[in-house]
Amino acid sequence: MDKCACTSCTCVVEQSAAVVLNGQKFCSDACAQGHPNDEPCHGSGSCGCSCATS
């Protein structure tokens, strides 16, 4: 398990499920893309992260 590379995210992700971009592991496409539309990393934002609001 690794911490998501999105700096404001608190999620951890299994290596097999990670979204890999430029050698970094992210928990979702939203985190990997830098939240271009301020979308939460997981659906409704139920994971508790505030990474889409930073």
Side-chain angles (χ1 to χ4, degrees):
M1 300 283 276
D2 291 308
K3 185 194 174 297
C4 178
C6 179
T7 56
S8 301
C9 187
T10 59
C11 292
V12 292
V13 60
E14 283 190 46
Q15 292 181 356
S16 62
V19 176
V20 180
L21 182 66
N22 297 325
Q24 294 183 302
K25 297 174 187 150
F26 297 90
C27 66
S28 67
D29 286 325
C31 282
Q33 299 301 321
H35 305 276
N37 300 306
D38 294 325
E39 66 276 26
C41 58
H42 295 285
S44 65
S46 60
C47 63
C49 290
S50 60
C51 52
T53 60
S54 58

